[in-house]
Amino acid sequence: MILEEDSLMHFRYDTITHILSTTWPDLTHTPMPEIEDTLEKLASNIQYYDVRYMLADHRTGYAILGEDKYKKLIENYHRRLAETNLEKVARILPEEPAWEYLIANNTKKLQKKLRLKFKIRFFNHKTDAMAWLQEAK
């Protein structure tokens, strides 16, 4: 079931697995307010529907991670997620080593800085990510 969709993302919730899935688009030329609005909608849906498990597919989602404004936006998004009952986030990374490193490294820094209570793991394949999200529920 699609919980919400906007110009950037669709938030799909599987009522059988209880996993919210989203695919990150290429955000390189997207205005910051539009990205902020989408991330706020995502966090709000996670909180409203009491989502515990999320699959975030970053294979096609690129962004200029070096910008301070973007980093602050992502930090605020993670702060919002920390206010939810989220337990696990599986991130499928692009198969480009530089992007894979940047996404994983920035996420790990945020996890440590914000002391996020939910687990985040990185995967190269959707089947592995789904298996981890569904184990020991």
Side-chain angles (χ1 to χ4, degrees), residues 14-28:
D14 185 325
T15 57
I16 296 170
T17 63
H18 303 287
I19 296 172
L20 180 127
S21 300
T22 187
T23 301
W24 289 67
D26 183 347
L27 300 173
T28 304

Side-chain angles (χ1 to χ4, degrees), residues 11-137:
F11 315 139
R12 294 171 303 283
Y13 185 70
D14 185 325
T15 57
I16 296 170
T17 63
H18 303 287
I19 296 172
L20 180 127
S21 300
T22 187
T23 301
W24 289 67
D26 183 347
L27 300 173
T28 304
H29 301 291
T30 305
M32 207 63 71
E34 190 173 351
I35 298 170
E36 186 174 33
D37 183 55
T38 296
L39 294 179
E40 177 57 33
K41 287 177 189 174
L42 179 56
S44 292
N45 274 281
I46 290 169
Q47 188 164 33
Y48 182 79
Y49 291 101
D50 198 26
V51 173
R52 305 295 172 112
Y53 310 101
M54 181 169 70
L55 176 70
D57 189 340
H58 293 275
R59 289 178 289 187
T60 59
Y62 298 99
I64 300 169
L65 297 173
E67 288 186 26
D68 288 337
K69 288 180 183 178
Y70 182 77
K71 285 184 179 182
K72 186 68 176 168
L73 181 115
I74 295 299
E75 183 175 324
N76 288 338
Y77 164 67
H78 280 82
R79 282 186 202 282
R80 265 299 262 128
L81 292 181
E83 298 169 357
T84 71
N85 291 320
L86 200 57
E87 294 177 22
K88 289 182 175 182
V89 175
R91 295 187 176 205
I92 305 173
L93 297 176
E95 292 185 18
E96 295 184 32
W99 284 109
E100 185 176 341
Y101 171 78
L102 284 173
I103 292 169
N105 190 46
N106 285 334
T107 301
K108 287 175 184 176
K109 284 180 184 177
L110 279 174
Q111 194 171 21
K112 185 176 180 181
K113 178 180 180 178
L114 301 176
R115 298 180 189 162
L116 299 174
K117 62 183 177 184
F118 54 89
K119 298 175 187 172
I120 302 173
R121 287 210 31 208
F122 306 96
F123 299 90
N124 292 317
H125 303 286
K126 185 175 180 177
T127 53
D128 296 334
M130 292 295 286
W132 177 69
L133 288 171
Q134 294 179 70
E135 73 184 23
K137 283 191 179 180

